[in-house]
Amino acid sequence: MDLARSPADEAFRAEARAWLRAHVPSEPLPSLETEEGFAAHRAWEAELAADRWSVVHWPTAYGGRDAGLPRWLVFEEEYYAAGAPGRVGQNGVNLLAPTLFDHGTEEQRARVLPPMACGEVVWAQAWSEPEAGSDLASLTSRAVRTAGGWLLTGQKTWSSRAAFADRAFGLFRSEPGTARPHQGLTYLMFDLRAPGVTVRPIGRLDGRPAFAELFLDDVFVPDEDVIGAPGQGWRVAMSTAGNERGLTLRSPGRFLAAADRLLGLWQERGSPASARDAVADALIGARAYELFTHAAASRFLQGTPIGPEASLNKVFWSEYDIALHETALDLLGEEGEAADTGWSEGYVFSLAGPIYAGTNEIQRDIIAERLLGLPKGRR
Amino acid sequence: MRFLLDTEQRAFAESLDAMLTAAGTPAVARAWGRGEHAVGRAVWARLAEAGVFALAAPEAYEGVGPLPVELAVAFVELGRHAVPGPLVETVTATVLLAGLDDPGPAERLLPALVSGKAMATVAPAPGSYALDGDAAETRLSLDPAAGGLRLAPGHGPVRPSLDPARRLTHLSPGGELLAPHAPLPHALTWARLAVAAQALGVGLSLLDRTVAYVRQRKQFGVSVGSFQAVKHRLADAKVALEFARPLVFGAAVTLDPVDAAAAKVTACEAAYTTARTALQLHGAIGYTAEYDLSLWLTKARALRTAWGAPAECRDMVLSGGGRRR
Ligand SMILES: Cc1cc2nc3c(=O)[nH]c(=O)nc-3n(C[C@H](O)[C@H](O)[C@H](O)COP(=O)(O)OP(=O)(O)OC[C@H]3O[C@@H](n4cnc5c(N)ncnc54)[C@H](O)[C@@H]3O)c2cc1C
């Protein structure tokens, strides 16, 4: 058991750090949940990609550095420590790309991944529907066979950044009346600007408009945009849902940097005793998450795929994130109420953590049933 | 970087687990609590044979250490089986003695600790309790202010702990001065690592026992474990324990005092909240001394304050100044 990184990994760290020092914008970019901010973040993705820093863990053929998981973790640490901008391409990079690596065709990877890597095409996740949230398999949007492809009809909702994104991926019912709701679903990619698509922005809790609902009316999708076999969409989607809950959505670098900033804030405020436990717990939590990730990465590198333990991750980081930001707002006192500080924006965003990527109630069911072996109850 | 136990370390855990299961440790813990030390000593001898007390001792004193990761592996098993006795204290004494400038006291006292012929206890400050002073042959008292390490000549009356298997004693003042200065901070790191690992084991056992219980206990015609309110409490206990685990092994790898304090506070809190959950989900039977669950419930509470209460450990974390690399 050891925690030492190889000299080559450390050299990679130094290279990343130097690049970030030279390139990270000195002023924070406007929020990526606004039109202006979205454009600024897209440009940042292009800048990252120009020097191959946007998707370091991908194969070089698609714009990555083939860096492997340990170096991806190193990169993330440096990225967040440098105070670099949030990633506007994250849905594509963290959710669609792993799906294409596992289930896509070579043609799909070659076509979809390079423009994703540089922010030229930004993807939105179109999974949820008004009547299908936690019970995702109850979705009713349809894909109907037509010459050379499919026609999509129905409604998707809560699609992050879909107001400004280019394309979306989601599940559609392609065989009505199957015995079980998980059967007969097809995983498809579609263009948000295709005829028949209406995108209606929804203000989030902070009023920012990037969230959207999508109305689809006979939207044509060619066969080449089906991922995996038609009818097998549930399997395709579930095999990569672990990514959303697990480490690629929330690398430890992010929390290590946030905990450091919180410690700085606490010290700046005269180290008030009232917040002592919470600040210490934030430091400890970041370290715990870092080490938990190292253990998960070690298992993964030994060939054990990420399974239901991703649900442990999800519950931990989402609750940790809120506690950390609550502590910061408490320390800021009256100032914490002002909505335009980084801490308050982070706080509002953290509040969504226990809801998206599978609510924490659903994650606790998975932990209890699949990790502890408790009997299934009524759903 | 390879942050996983290797095959030998896992085999070590499995062999201790098998040995302690066969030893019937709940009965051993009950006897120990009554002051009957014979069966406890027999288990102790077998632990020594398995090498547990050699892990913190350097080769110069017949040890195989320092092997902190293996020590953590062993202490998780000791906690899982509720093994009684001055386990952490014997390790702490070993580290204290091995770290003295003068090798004399270590040459004289360590072989007996390593071989399991003797147990040790430690009072880390004047007036603080030393666990099982009546059972230990080597009683060390520290006076950090004056800097001295003494071999206490005896112990005061035994005071019961709320964990019946823990027997609290004060050490008699005076005694032979072993060293004018003792390396307490380093020994404290080992003590906290050992308590953290033991607490993790206590928590894991509480969770396992509770999962097994709620699976078979039926109310309203179904297994209690199918109720979501029950499941979610157990899921939370699982999250807490699984995030304490890497802190414990991380502290073993670095032997950094800040990491040990973080592991101690987190593992003890996780074990303690798991104890609360375990008691609640067992219902009334959990609240009885006859039922073995109580052995772990009370230990989770006692370990929380042993060798550094939560506030003290959190102060240590804050003094570490955040991310270090
Ligand atoms: C900020 C944010 C971003 C999002 N981004 C996207 C996106 O990009 N793409 C996308 O497709 N979706 C997105 N979502 C939607 C998200 O995935 C859903 O909100 C989530 O799956 C929960 O569905 P719901 O909101 O319909 O809640 P519901 O499923 O209606 O649940 C309501 C409450 O009931 C609880 N509940 C439901 N079923 C059970 C059960 N069996 N046991 C116990 N409790 C239960 C839930 O946990 C929750 O507390 C986003 C949501 C948020 C908040």
Side-chain angles (χ1 to χ4, degrees):
Chain A
M1 187 172 247
D2 82 84
L3 286 165
R5 289 207 163 93
S6 71
D9 289 351
E10 288 303 334
F12 175 84
R13 181 194 295 283
E15 192 189 346
R17 185 179 294 182
W19 190 91
L20 288 162
R21 191 168 293 152
H23 289 81
V24 169
S26 50
E27 287 292 306
L29 303 182
S31 164
L32 60 75
E33 311 295 340
T34 61
E35 184 158 15
E36 176 204 9
F38 197 88
H41 280 77
R42 211 196 262 272
W44 167 246
E45 292 294 325
E47 193 174 341
L48 279 169
D51 289 324
R52 291 182 171 266
W53 291 111
S54 70
V55 284
V56 295
H57 53 304
W58 284 11
T60 46
Y62 307 126
R65 289 178 175 239
D66 224 347
L69 189 52
R71 281 188 206 173
W72 176 75
L73 289 166
V74 165
F75 177 74
E76 291 278 304
E77 260 179 46
E78 292 302 321
Y79 190 86
Y80 286 104
R87 302 294 301 271
V88 71
Q90 55 182 305
N91 276 328
V93 171
N94 294 333
L95 294 169
L96 179 58
T99 310
L100 289 175
F101 284 125
D102 288 355
H103 301 277
T105 63
E106 189 41 57
E107 184 278 325
Q108 285 173 331
R109 288 192 278 268
R111 174 165 52 92
V112 172
L113 296 178
M116 182 195 287
C118 63
E120 188 188 320
V121 174
V122 177
W123 290 83
Q125 178 194 16
W127 283 24
S128 305
E129 295 184 3
E131 301 303 325
S134 299
D135 185 10
L136 181 63
S138 69
L139 63 88
T140 58
S141 291
R142 283 171 293 128
V144 177
R145 204 87 188 80
T146 187
W150 302 79
L151 291 172
L152 308 185
T153 300
Q155 187 185 345
K156 297 284 179 180
T157 191
W158 314 130
S159 189
S160 292
R161 291 172 291 280
F164 313 120
D166 307 294
R167 289 173 65 82
F169 53 93
L171 288 168
F172 293 83
R173 198 159 288 289
S174 52
E175 297 162 28
T178 53
R180 297 183 59 237
H182 309 79
Q183 293 165 348
L185 300 175
T186 296
Y187 201 135
L188 296 128
M189 302 181 271
F190 59 97
D191 200 323
L192 285 168
R193 297 197 190 89
V197 179
T198 307
V199 177
R200 191 185 77 84
I202 308 169
R204 309 189 318 166
L205 190 57
D206 57 8
R208 293 197 167 101
F211 230 15
E213 56 187 339
L214 313 174
F215 300 90
L216 308 172
D217 183 11
D218 279 343
V219 178
F220 176 75
V221 174
D223 280 326
E224 65 192 33
D225 280 344
V226 172
I227 308 176
Q232 296 297 309
W234 185 258
R235 214 173 54 80
V236 174
M238 286 309 113
S239 75
T240 44
N243 287 291
E244 185 171 24
R245 291 161 202 159
L247 53 113
T248 53
L249 185 62
R250 289 292 174 268
S251 65
R254 190 186 141 118
F255 296 125
L256 288 166
D260 270 359
R261 277 199 290 279
L262 181 67
L263 178 68
L265 178 66
W266 183 67
Q267 287 165 341
E268 209 178 282
R269 299 268 147 168
S271 309
S274 56
R276 188 196 64 179
D277 285 4
V279 174
D281 286 349
L283 293 172
I284 295 171
R287 176 74 171 155
Y289 191 66
E290 178 188 23
L291 292 168
F292 185 91
T293 303
H294 287 334
S298 300
R299 269 195 303 276
F300 185 76
L301 293 172
Q302 282 192 347
T304 313
I306 296 173
E309 69 278 4
S311 296
L312 297 170
N313 241 36
K314 162 77 211 295
V315 172
F316 184 86
W317 66 247
S318 57
E319 297 196 339
Y320 171 85
D321 204 20
I322 294 179
L324 179 130
H325 283 90
E326 277 173 343
T327 307
L329 292 201
D330 287 349
L331 278 166
L332 288 166
E334 206 177 48
E335 241 178 84
E337 186 190 328
D340 53 2
T341 70
W343 283 115
S344 54
E345 193 179 337
Y347 169 71
V348 174
F349 182 59
S350 75
L351 290 178
I355 301 172
Y356 64 80
T359 71
N360 283 11
E361 284 71 33
I362 299 299
Q363 304 310 312
R364 288 186 173 97
D365 279 349
I366 294 173
I367 293 167
E369 289 167 14
R370 296 183 50 200
L371 295 177
L372 297 177
L374 289 167
K376 261 186 162 342
R378 279 199 52 204
R379 280 280 183 289
Chain B
M1 187 186 65
R2 197 182 158 286
F3 191 56
L4 280 183
L5 294 179
D6 62 31
T7 324
E8 276 163 48
Q9 289 161 341
R10 287 200 308 273
F12 181 48
E14 280 160 25
S15 70
L16 288 176
D17 181 35
M19 189 264 272
L20 291 169
T21 303
T25 46
V28 177
R30 290 181 190 284
W32 190 269
R34 294 191 298 268
E36 297 159 18
H37 295 142
V39 278
R41 283 192 179 277
V43 171
W44 197 277
R46 303 195 55 185
L47 289 171
E49 217 170 286
V52 170
F53 301 109
L55 298 170
E59 283 172 32
Y61 304 116
E62 296 174 29
V64 297
L67 288 176
V69 174
E70 283 71 9
L71 184 98
V73 167
F75 270 73
V76 169
E77 295 309 314
L78 299 175
R80 283 186 59 225
H81 290 276
V83 175
L87 296 157
V88 172
E89 291 66 25
T90 296
V91 166
T92 310
T94 302
V95 175
L96 271 172
L97 291 168
L100 298 178
D101 292 336
D102 171 12
E107 279 165 4
R108 176 152 57 97
L109 298 166
L110 274 189
L113 297 186
V114 170
S115 67
K117 290 197 184 68
M119 298 175 176
T121 193
V122 182
S128 54
Y129 286 119
L131 188 68
D132 295 313
D134 58 333
E137 289 81 4
T138 302
R139 303 180 199 92
L140 300 180
S141 53
L142 273 148
D143 185 347
L149 177 69
R150 285 179 189 276
L151 199 54
H155 64 88
V158 173
R159 221 181 138 185
S161 151
L162 53 75
D163 173 11
R166 285 171 63 90
R167 296 160 57 84
L168 306 177
T169 50
H170 284 299
L171 299 185
S172 317
E176 180 192 342
L177 184 68
L178 294 177
H181 301 288
L184 183 59
H186 186 57
L188 199 55
T189 297
W190 281 81
R192 287 181 176 163
L193 169 64
V195 178
Q198 191 182 3
L200 175 62
V202 166
L204 291 171
S205 184
L206 284 162
L207 179 61
D208 281 354
R209 282 162 186 275
T210 308
V211 166
Y213 182 77
V214 300
R215 279 169 64 93
Q216 56 87 16
R217 174 74 175 167
K218 285 211 163 84
Q219 292 293 306
F220 303 99
V222 294
S223 142
V224 164
S226 66
F227 296 128
Q228 206 176 44
V230 168
K231 279 185 187 166
H232 285 195
R233 278 193 82 161
L234 291 168
D236 282 337
K238 175 79 174 162
V239 172
L241 292 166
E242 290 307 329
F243 279 86
R245 188 197 299 272
L247 286 173
V248 171
F249 287 102
V253 169
T254 65
L255 274 188
D256 180 311
V258 171
D259 286 340
K264 156 84 172 95
V265 67
T266 309
C268 289
E269 295 293 298
Y272 182 59
T273 48
T274 304
R276 295 283 315 279
T277 293
L279 173 55
Q280 183 65 23
L281 299 188
H282 274 80
I285 195 170
Y287 196 72
T288 59
E290 287 91 80
Y291 194 66
D292 283 346
L293 188 79
S294 65
L295 302 171
W296 284 269
L297 290 176
T298 52
K299 199 173 302 296
R301 175 66 230 184
L303 291 178
R304 199 162 171 252
T305 40
W307 291 101
E312 206 180 325
C313 291
R314 288 191 171 105
D315 277 341
M316 174 65 106
V317 168
L318 288 168
S319 75
R323 182 158 41 139
R324 293 142 292 127
R325 64 160 99 100

Coordinates of all heavy atoms in Angstrom, one line a residue, chain B residues 33-87:
Chain B
G33 N -14.2 -8.2 31.8 CA -15.0 -7.2 32.5 C -15.2 -7.5 34.0 O -15.3 -6.6 34.8
R34 N -15.3 -8.8 34.3 CA -15.4 -9.2 35.7 C -14.0 -9.3 36.4 O -14.0 -9.7 37.6 CB -16.1 -10.6 35.8 CG -17.5 -10.7 35.3 CD -18.2 -12.0 35.6 NE -17.6 -13.1 34.9 CZ -17.9 -13.6 33.8 NH1 -18.9 -13.0 33.1 NH2 -17.3 -14.6 33.2
G35 N -13.0 -9.0 35.7 CA -11.7 -9.0 36.3 C -11.1 -10.4 36.2 O -10.0 -10.7 36.8
E36 N -11.7 -11.3 35.4 CA -11.1 -12.7 35.2 C -10.3 -12.6 33.9 O -10.8 -12.6 32.8 CB -12.2 -13.7 35.1 CG -13.0 -13.8 36.4 CD -14.4 -14.4 36.1 OE1 -14.6 -15.1 35.1 OE2 -15.3 -14.2 37.0
H37 N -9.0 -12.6 34.1 CA -8.1 -12.3 33.0 C -7.6 -13.5 32.2 O -6.9 -13.4 31.2 CB -6.9 -11.5 33.4 CG -7.3 -10.1 33.9 ND1 -6.7 -9.4 35.0 CD2 -8.3 -9.3 33.5 CE1 -7.3 -8.3 35.2 NE2 -8.3 -8.1 34.3
A38 N -7.8 -14.7 32.8 CA -7.1 -15.9 32.2 C -7.5 -16.2 30.7 O -6.6 -16.3 29.9 CB -7.5 -17.2 33.1
V39 N -8.8 -16.2 30.4 CA -9.1 -16.5 29.0 C -8.6 -15.4 28.1 O -8.2 -15.6 26.9 CB -10.6 -16.8 28.7 CG1 -10.9 -18.2 29.0 CG2 -11.5 -15.8 29.5
G40 N -8.7 -14.1 28.6 CA -8.2 -13.0 27.8 C -6.7 -13.1 27.6 O -6.2 -12.9 26.4
R41 N -5.9 -13.6 28.5 CA -4.5 -13.8 28.4 C -4.2 -14.9 27.3 O -3.2 -14.8 26.6 CB -3.8 -14.1 29.7 CG -3.7 -12.9 30.6 CD -2.8 -13.2 31.8 NE -2.6 -12.0 32.6 CZ -1.8 -11.1 32.3 NH1 -0.9 -11.2 31.3 NH2 -1.7 -10.0 33.0
A42 N -5.1 -15.9 27.3 CA -4.9 -16.9 26.3 C -5.0 -16.4 24.9 O -4.2 -16.7 24.0 CB -5.8 -18.1 26.6
V43 N -6.1 -15.6 24.7 CA -6.3 -14.9 23.4 C -5.1 -14.0 23.1 O -4.5 -14.0 22.0 CB -7.6 -14.1 23.4 CG1 -7.7 -13.3 22.1 CG2 -8.8 -15.1 23.5
W44 N -4.6 -13.3 24.1 CA -3.5 -12.4 23.9 C -2.3 -13.1 23.4 O -1.6 -12.7 22.5 CB -3.2 -11.7 25.3 CG -2.4 -10.5 25.3 CD1 -1.0 -10.5 25.2 CD2 -2.8 -9.2 25.2 NE1 -0.6 -9.2 25.1 CE2 -1.7 -8.3 25.2 CE3 -4.1 -8.6 25.3 CZ2 -1.8 -6.9 25.2 CZ3 -4.2 -7.2 25.3 CH2 -3.0 -6.4 25.2
A45 N -2.0 -14.3 24.0 CA -0.9 -15.1 23.7 C -1.0 -15.5 22.2 O 0.0 -15.5 21.5 CB -0.8 -16.3 24.6
R46 N -2.2 -15.8 21.8 CA -2.3 -16.2 20.4 C -2.2 -15.1 19.4 O -1.7 -15.2 18.3 CB -3.7 -16.9 20.2 CG -3.9 -18.1 21.2 CD -5.0 -19.0 20.8 NE -4.8 -19.5 19.4 CZ -5.8 -20.2 18.8 NH1 -6.9 -20.5 19.5 NH2 -5.6 -20.6 17.6
L47 N -2.6 -13.9 19.9 CA -2.4 -12.7 19.0 C -0.9 -12.4 18.9 O -0.4 -12.1 17.8 CB -3.1 -11.5 19.7 CG -4.6 -11.5 19.6 CD1 -5.2 -10.3 20.5 CD2 -5.1 -11.3 18.2
A48 N -0.2 -12.6 20.0 CA 1.3 -12.4 20.0 C 1.9 -13.4 19.0 O 2.8 -13.0 18.2 CB 1.8 -12.5 21.4
E49 N 1.5 -14.6 19.1 CA 2.0 -15.6 18.2 C 1.8 -15.3 16.7 O 2.6 -15.5 15.9 CB 1.2 -16.9 18.5 CG 2.0 -18.2 18.5 CD 1.1 -19.3 19.0 OE1 0.9 -19.4 20.2 OE2 0.6 -20.1 18.2
A50 N 0.6 -14.7 16.5 CA 0.3 -14.2 15.1 C 1.1 -13.0 14.7 O 1.1 -12.6 13.6 CB -1.2 -14.0 15.0
G51 N 1.8 -12.4 15.7 CA 2.7 -11.3 15.4 C 2.2 -9.9 15.7 O 2.8 -8.9 15.4
V52 N 1.0 -9.9 16.2 CA 0.3 -8.6 16.4 C 1.2 -7.6 17.2 O 1.3 -6.4 16.8 CB -1.1 -8.7 17.0 CG1 -1.7 -7.4 17.4 CG2 -2.0 -9.5 16.1
F53 N 1.8 -8.1 18.3 CA 2.5 -7.1 19.1 C 4.0 -6.9 18.7 O 4.7 -6.1 19.3 CB 2.5 -7.6 20.6 CG 1.1 -7.7 21.1 CD1 0.5 -8.9 21.3 CD2 0.3 -6.6 21.2 CE1 -0.8 -9.0 21.7 CE2 -1.0 -6.7 21.6 CZ -1.6 -7.9 21.9
A54 N 4.3 -7.5 17.6 CA 5.7 -7.3 17.0 C 5.6 -6.2 16.0 O 6.7 -5.7 15.5 CB 6.2 -8.6 16.4
L55 N 4.4 -5.8 15.6 CA 4.3 -4.9 14.4 C 4.8 -3.5 14.6 O 5.3 -2.8 13.7 CB 2.8 -4.8 13.9 CG 2.3 -6.2 13.5 CD1 0.7 -6.1 13.3 CD2 2.9 -6.6 12.2
A56 N 4.7 -3.0 15.9 CA 5.2 -1.7 16.2 C 6.6 -1.7 16.7 O 7.2 -0.6 16.9 CB 4.3 -1.0 17.2
A57 N 7.2 -2.8 17.0 CA 8.5 -2.9 17.6 C 9.6 -3.1 16.5 O 9.4 -4.0 15.6 CB 8.5 -4.1 18.6
P58 N 10.7 -2.4 16.6 CA 11.7 -2.6 15.6 C 12.4 -3.9 15.8 O 12.3 -4.6 16.9 CB 12.7 -1.5 15.9 CG 12.2 -0.7 17.0 CD 11.0 -1.3 17.6
E59 N 13.1 -4.4 14.8 CA 13.8 -5.7 14.8 C 14.8 -5.8 16.0 O 15.0 -6.9 16.5 CB 14.5 -6.0 13.5 CG 13.5 -6.4 12.4 CD 14.2 -6.5 11.0 OE1 15.4 -6.8 11.0 OE2 13.5 -6.2 10.0
A60 N 15.4 -4.6 16.3 CA 16.4 -4.6 17.3 C 15.9 -5.2 18.6 O 16.6 -5.7 19.5 CB 17.0 -3.2 17.5
Y61 N 14.6 -5.1 18.8 CA 13.9 -5.5 20.1 C 13.0 -6.7 19.8 O 12.0 -6.9 20.4 CB 13.2 -4.4 20.7 CG 14.0 -3.2 21.0 CD1 13.7 -2.0 20.3 CD2 15.1 -3.2 21.8 CE1 14.5 -0.8 20.5 CE2 15.9 -2.1 22.1 CZ 15.6 -0.9 21.4 OH 16.4 0.2 21.6
E62 N 13.4 -7.5 18.9 CA 12.6 -8.8 18.6 C 11.3 -8.5 17.9 O 10.4 -9.4 17.8 CB 12.5 -9.6 19.8 CG 13.8 -10.1 20.3 CD 13.8 -10.9 21.6 OE1 12.7 -11.5 21.9 OE2 14.8 -10.8 22.4
G63 N 11.1 -7.3 17.3 CA 9.9 -7.0 16.6 C 10.1 -7.2 15.1 O 11.2 -7.7 14.7
V64 N 9.1 -6.9 14.3 CA 9.2 -6.9 12.9 C 8.9 -5.6 12.3 O 8.7 -5.5 11.1 CB 8.2 -8.0 12.3 CG1 8.6 -9.4 12.8 CG2 6.8 -7.7 12.6
G65 N 8.7 -4.6 13.1 CA 8.2 -3.3 12.7 C 9.3 -2.3 12.3 O 10.4 -2.7 12.3
P66 N 8.8 -1.1 12.1 CA 7.4 -0.6 12.2 C 6.6 -1.0 10.9 O 7.1 -0.7 9.8 CB 7.6 0.9 12.3 CG 8.9 1.2 11.7 CD 9.8 0.1 11.8
L67 N 5.5 -1.6 11.2 CA 4.6 -2.0 10.1 C 3.2 -1.4 10.4 O 2.3 -2.2 10.7 CB 4.5 -3.5 9.9 CG 5.8 -4.2 9.3 CD1 5.6 -5.7 9.3 CD2 6.0 -3.7 7.9
P68 N 3.0 -0.1 10.2 CA 1.8 0.5 10.6 C 0.6 0.0 9.8 O -0.6 0.0 10.4 CB 2.0 2.0 10.5 CG 3.2 2.1 9.6 CD 4.0 0.9 9.8
V69 N 0.7 -0.3 8.6 CA -0.5 -0.8 7.8 C -0.9 -2.1 8.3 O -2.1 -2.3 8.5 CB -0.1 -0.9 6.3 CG1 -1.3 -1.5 5.5 CG2 0.2 0.5 5.7
E70 N 0.0 -3.0 8.6 CA -0.4 -4.3 9.2 C -1.0 -4.1 10.6 O -1.9 -4.8 10.9 CB 0.9 -5.2 9.3 CG 1.3 -5.9 7.9 CD 1.9 -4.9 6.9 OE1 2.2 -3.7 7.3 OE2 2.1 -5.3 5.8
L71 N -0.5 -3.2 11.3 CA -1.0 -2.9 12.6 C -2.5 -2.4 12.5 O -3.4 -2.9 13.2 CB -0.2 -1.8 13.3 CG -0.8 -1.6 14.7 CD1 0.1 -2.3 15.8 CD2 -0.9 -0.1 15.1
A72 N -2.7 -1.6 11.5 CA -4.1 -1.1 11.3 C -5.0 -2.3 10.9 O -6.1 -2.5 11.4 CB -4.2 0.0 10.2
V73 N -4.5 -3.2 10.0 CA -5.2 -4.4 9.6 C -5.6 -5.2 10.9 O -6.8 -5.6 11.0 CB -4.4 -5.2 8.6 CG1 -5.0 -6.6 8.5 CG2 -4.2 -4.5 7.3
A74 N -4.6 -5.4 11.7 CA -4.9 -6.2 12.9 C -5.9 -5.5 13.8 O -6.8 -6.2 14.4 CB -3.6 -6.4 13.7
F75 N -5.8 -4.2 14.0 CA -6.7 -3.6 15.0 C -8.1 -3.5 14.4 O -9.0 -3.5 15.2 CB -6.1 -2.2 15.4 CG -5.2 -2.3 16.6 CD1 -4.0 -2.9 16.5 CD2 -5.7 -1.9 17.9 CE1 -3.2 -3.1 17.6 CE2 -4.9 -2.1 19.0 CZ -3.6 -2.7 18.9
V76 N -8.3 -3.5 13.1 CA -9.6 -3.5 12.6 C -10.3 -4.9 13.1 O -11.4 -4.9 13.6 CB -9.7 -3.4 11.1 CG1 -11.0 -3.8 10.5 CG2 -9.3 -2.0 10.6
E77 N -9.5 -5.9 13.0 CA -10.0 -7.3 13.4 C -10.2 -7.3 14.9 O -11.2 -7.9 15.4 CB -9.0 -8.4 13.0 CG -8.9 -8.5 11.5 CD -10.3 -8.6 10.8 OE1 -11.1 -9.4 11.3 OE2 -10.5 -7.9 9.8
L78 N -9.3 -6.7 15.7 CA -9.5 -6.7 17.2 C -10.8 -6.0 17.5 O -11.6 -6.4 18.4 CB -8.3 -6.0 17.8 CG -7.0 -6.7 17.6 CD1 -5.8 -5.9 18.2 CD2 -7.0 -8.1 18.2
G79 N -11.1 -4.9 16.8 CA -12.3 -4.2 17.0 C -13.5 -5.0 16.6 O -14.5 -5.0 17.3
R80 N -13.4 -5.6 15.4 CA -14.6 -6.4 14.9 C -14.9 -7.5 15.9 O -16.1 -7.9 16.0 CB -14.2 -7.0 13.5 CG -14.3 -6.0 12.4 CD -14.1 -6.6 11.1 NE -15.1 -7.6 10.8 CZ -14.9 -8.9 10.4 NH1 -13.7 -9.2 10.0 NH2 -15.9 -9.7 10.2
H81 N -13.9 -8.0 16.6 CA -14.2 -9.1 17.6 C -14.3 -8.6 19.0 O -14.4 -9.5 19.9 CB -13.2 -10.2 17.4 CG -13.3 -10.9 16.1 ND1 -14.2 -11.9 15.9 CD2 -12.7 -10.7 14.9 CE1 -14.1 -12.3 14.6 NE2 -13.2 -11.6 14.0
A82 N -14.3 -7.3 19.2 CA -14.4 -6.8 20.6 C -13.4 -7.4 21.6 O -13.8 -7.8 22.7 CB -15.9 -7.0 21.1
V83 N -12.2 -7.6 21.1 CA -11.2 -8.2 22.0 C -10.9 -7.2 23.1 O -10.7 -6.0 22.9 CB -9.9 -8.4 21.2 CG1 -8.8 -8.9 22.1 CG2 -10.2 -9.5 20.1
P84 N -10.9 -7.6 24.4 CA -10.7 -6.7 25.5 C -9.2 -6.6 25.8 O -8.4 -7.4 25.3 CB -11.4 -7.4 26.6 CG -11.2 -8.9 26.3 CD -11.2 -9.0 24.8
G85 N -8.8 -5.7 26.7 CA -7.5 -5.5 27.1 C -6.8 -4.3 26.7 O -7.3 -3.6 25.8
P86 N -5.6 -4.0 27.2 CA -4.9 -2.8 26.9 C -4.1 -2.9 25.6 O -2.9 -2.9 25.5 CB -3.9 -2.6 28.1 CG -3.6 -4.0 28.5 CD -4.9 -4.8 28.3
L87 N -4.9 -3.1 24.5 CA -4.3 -3.4 23.2 C -3.6 -2.2 22.6 O -2.4 -2.2 22.3 CB -5.4 -3.8 22.2 CG -6.1 -5.1 22.6 CD1 -7.5 -5.2 22.0 CD2 -5.3 -6.3 22.1

